[in-house]
């Protein structure tokens, strides 16, 4: 086996080539301190680009690692590489063929499909971080930046609803409504179409809060679960929601998914 200190690898792709480059980098670390020079050839769309790639690889005595998902381009590259005795590694072909056989259907063979998925993933992460930062009125400035603002008394599912919507890539801020605390003025200045008030049946809320107190090891007769206090809070919240002019959703016996569905339908 011949030993060399430097190896040139062309990473060819009909998309950005990031997947192929990541795999080659991971393999290259196993041969440190040998040098692997990676040259990415991205967005290959025709045979002309492959011809140029073959010429460059032959000139540099390089290996071609490729992630071509268009069958015609993949086959053309393999034929040309064999003709010029260039070593190739197909990172996608065998995997796609095996999956096609398992699913009993042909792959889409459409380049670049991973990038919208990546973009969606990072949007979700950003939205979740936003929901955590602006949860339960921790920072009222979130009202300005949010796609959706939730208001309501304690235990009306504001936080789980915020998280559910965040996984749909919506930035959500939620604001608790408590009679002793004046709501932020920002609630009356932003577009009320993005604000949703959550209300609930007093008896249902009484049961929810009583269970919450038990979980915390606190007495069930605390004012937090007192029916009269709950009615007072709900009345106060209703006054604020009416002043805002926002959509009000009764979450009594509604799952978080159901409430989210109503909100998403309203905001289009």
């Amino acid at each position: 086996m011949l030993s060399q200190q430097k190896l040139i690898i062309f990473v060819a792709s009909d998309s950005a080539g990031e997947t192929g480059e990541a795999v080659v980098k991971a393999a290259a670390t196993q041969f440190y301190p040998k040098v692997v020079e990676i040259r990415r050839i991205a967005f290959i769309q025709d045979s002309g680009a492959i011809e140029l790639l073959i010429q460059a690889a032959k000139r540099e005595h390089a290996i071609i690692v490729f992630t071509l998902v268009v069958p015609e381009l993949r086959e053309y590259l393999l034929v040309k590489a064999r003709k010029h005795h260039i070593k190739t590694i197909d990172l996608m072909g065998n995997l796609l063929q095996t999956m096609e056989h398992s699913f009993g259907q042909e792959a889409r063979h459409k380049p670049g499909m991973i990038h919208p998925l990546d973009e969606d993933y990072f949007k979700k992460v950003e939205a979740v971080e936003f929901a955590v930062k602006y949860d339960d009125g921790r920072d009222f400035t979130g009202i300005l930046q949010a796609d959706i603002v939730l208001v309501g008394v304690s235990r009306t599912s504001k936080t789980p609803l915020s998280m559910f919507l965040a996984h749909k890539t919506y930035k959500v801020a939620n604001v608790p409504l408590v009679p002793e605390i004046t709501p932020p003025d920002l609630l009356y200045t932003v577009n009320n179409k993005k604000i949703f008030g959550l209300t609930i049946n007093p008896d249902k809320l009484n049961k929810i809060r009583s269970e919450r107190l038990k979980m915390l090891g606190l007495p069930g007769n605390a004012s937090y679960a007192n029916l009269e206090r709950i009615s007072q809070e709900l009345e106060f919240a209703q006054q604020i929601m009416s002043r805002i002019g926002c959509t009000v959703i009764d979450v009594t016996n509604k799952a978080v998914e159901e409430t989210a569905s109503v909100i998403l339908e309203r905001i289009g």
Side-chain angles (χ1 to χ4, degrees):
M1 182 184 293
L2 294 175
S3 177
Q4 62 185 83
Q5 295 301 312
K6 180 179 178 179
L7 178 63
I8 297 174
I9 298 180
F10 285 92
V11 176
S13 174
D14 38 21
S15 184
E18 294 171 349
T19 302
E21 184 174 358
V23 172
V24 172
K25 282 181 177 178
T29 61
Q30 301 298 316
F31 295 92
Y32 181 84
K34 300 283 188 178
V35 177
V36 177
E37 181 180 328
I38 302 172
R39 300 182 186 176
R40 197 199 303 185
I41 310 298
F43 302 108
I44 293 176
Q45 297 180 347
D46 52 42
S47 58
I50 292 177
E51 290 284 0
L52 293 174
L53 170 63
I54 293 294
Q55 293 173 20
K58 185 177 181 180
R59 185 171 58 250
E60 299 283 1
H61 304 287
I63 295 173
I64 297 176
V65 173
F66 62 95
T67 56
L68 299 173
V69 298
V70 178
E72 294 78 12
L73 293 178
R74 188 166 64 240
E75 186 61 30
Y76 189 81
L77 172 57
L78 289 170
V79 170
K80 288 294 180 178
R82 281 196 294 267
K83 179 180 178 181
H84 294 279
H85 307 289
I86 297 171
K87 295 178 181 177
T88 62
I89 300 172
D90 183 358
L91 292 180
M92 294 286 283
N94 290 335
L95 178 59
L96 286 174
Q97 289 171 11
T98 302
M99 292 176 71
E100 285 178 335
H101 179 74
S102 297
F103 283 127
Q105 71 177 62
E106 190 174 346
R108 295 185 183 184
H109 301 299
K110 182 179 179 181
M113 295 190 69
I114 193 172
H115 298 290
L117 294 177
D118 286 344
E119 184 180 357
D120 186 59
Y121 170 77
F122 287 115
K123 281 183 178 179
K124 286 181 182 178
V125 170
E126 185 180 358
V128 169
E129 290 177 345
F130 186 94
V132 171
K133 182 177 181 180
Y134 298 107
D135 180 47
D136 210 26
R138 291 177 185 172
D139 184 347
F140 292 138
T141 60
I143 294 171
L144 296 172
Q145 307 165 53
D147 301 313
I148 298 168
V149 179
L150 304 177
V151 297
V153 301
S154 175
R155 313 311 296 175
T156 50
S157 300
K158 296 189 297 301
T159 297
L161 183 55
S162 295
M163 289 300 170
F164 184 90
L165 291 167
H167 280 85
K168 300 289 185 182
T169 72
Y170 290 92
K171 294 180 179 178
V172 185
N174 75 71
V175 179
L177 298 180
V178 184
E180 291 77 20
I181 301 175
T182 304
D185 292 336
L186 289 173
L187 283 176
Y188 309 110
T189 60
V190 298
N191 188 343
N192 63 3
K193 290 184 179 180
K194 74 174 185 178
I195 302 177
F196 292 85
L198 307 180
T199 190
I200 190 171
N201 176 274
D203 293 321
K204 178 70 173 179
L205 185 54
N206 171 255
K207 292 179 182 178
I208 292 172
R209 289 189 177 183
S210 295
E211 288 299 319
R212 178 63 175 169
L213 290 174
K214 287 180 184 178
M215 288 176 59
L216 296 174
L218 298 173
N221 59 356
S223 62
Y224 180 70
N226 180 273
L227 194 55
E228 186 177 340
R229 166 66 184 185
I230 287 174
S231 298
Q232 179 188 357
E233 288 186 35
L234 290 172
E235 185 179 348
F236 171 77
Q238 185 59 54
Q239 291 173 358
I240 299 300
M241 295 172 195
S242 297
R243 183 179 170 191
I244 294 170
C246 63
T247 298
V248 179
I249 303 172
D250 189 338
V251 299
T252 306
N253 299 324
K254 268 192 176 69
V256 167
E257 295 85 352
E258 292 179 89
T259 307
S261 178
V262 174
I263 292 173
L264 295 178
E265 184 179 346
R266 293 292 179 93
I267 66 173

